[in-house]
Amino acid sequence: MQSRTKVALAIVAAFGLGGAIVEGLHAQGKAKPQIYVVAEINVKNADGYMKEYAPKAQALIKKSGGKLLAASSSPSKIEGAAPPPRVAIQLWDSMDQYKAYRSSAELKEIRKIGDKYAEFRAYAVEARPPQ
């Protein structure tokens, strides 16, 4: 009788564990995707941009939860039109997080400085899980 009880308990435990795993996977499937933000920047005054704007902008990205993955003042053309003089790539946990950063009063103040030294174009791309 003890072995039947053990088998029954093992089956119940397996079903419970399986259900928990399925629920966890289901929750992951509903998670909002991370996004990459690509910023193309036509810098009009490199000295002012690098001294007055870039450090503040990069600090706010980090403070707001974004990660600056790449930034270059010499992007390489691979195909098509030449890239602008500066390109930056950021990673954000979600579009909502990025939108909160974009609508912050701090960014609005920092962009007043940035707009004196550069013209900006940015777009977001959903990150895909590794395959």
Side-chain angles (χ1 to χ4, degrees), residues 57-67 92-93 97-98 100-102 104 106-107:
Q58 291 171 3
L60 182 58
I61 289 166
K62 185 175 181 179
K63 176 183 170 186
S64 301
K67 296 175 185 79
W92 293 84
D93 288 338
Q97 182 188 39
Y98 180 67
Y101 154 78
R102 289 294 299 202
S104 72
E106 280 182 281
L107 180 63

Side-chain angles (χ1 to χ4, degrees), residues 23-34:
E23 186 61 33
L25 290 173
H26 184 67
Q28 284 180 353
K30 289 183 177 181
K32 293 182 181 181
Q34 290 183 312

Side-chain angles (χ1 to χ4, degrees), residues 1-10:
M1 188 71 177
Q2 281 187 354
S3 63
R4 286 185 182 181
T5 303
K6 288 180 184 178
V7 169
L9 287 175

Side-chain angles (χ1 to χ4, degrees), residues 9-126:
L9 287 175
I11 290 172
V12 170
F15 276 113
L17 181 59
I21 291 171
V22 168
E23 186 61 33
L25 290 173
H26 184 67
Q28 284 180 353
K30 289 183 177 181
K32 293 182 181 181
Q34 290 183 312
I35 62 163
Y36 292 101
V37 173
V38 179
E40 298 177 347
I41 307 155
N42 281 313
V43 179
K44 298 181 265 184
N45 178 331
D47 190 49
Y49 178 90
M50 293 306 292
K51 287 181 181 173
E52 294 181 43
Y53 175 72
K56 292 176 183 177
Q58 291 171 3
L60 182 58
I61 289 166
K62 185 175 181 179
K63 176 183 170 186
S64 301
K67 296 175 185 79
L68 184 62
L69 300 179
S72 176
S73 292
S74 57
S76 299
K77 175 186 170 188
I78 304 296
E79 185 175 18
R86 185 160 178 84
V87 175
I89 301 171
Q90 306 162 16
L91 176 65
W92 293 84
D93 288 338
S94 68
M95 182 60 87
D96 291 340
Q97 182 188 39
Y98 180 67
K99 285 180 178 180
Y101 154 78
R102 289 294 299 202
S103 64
S104 72
E106 280 182 281
L107 180 63
K108 287 180 173 87
E109 285 301 310
I110 292 171
R111 279 302 290 271
K112 288 178 185 176
I113 299 167
D115 289 341
K116 291 191 305 187
Y117 301 117
E119 294 173 346
F120 300 86
R121 175 179 181 233
Y123 48 92
V125 180
E126 280 188 11

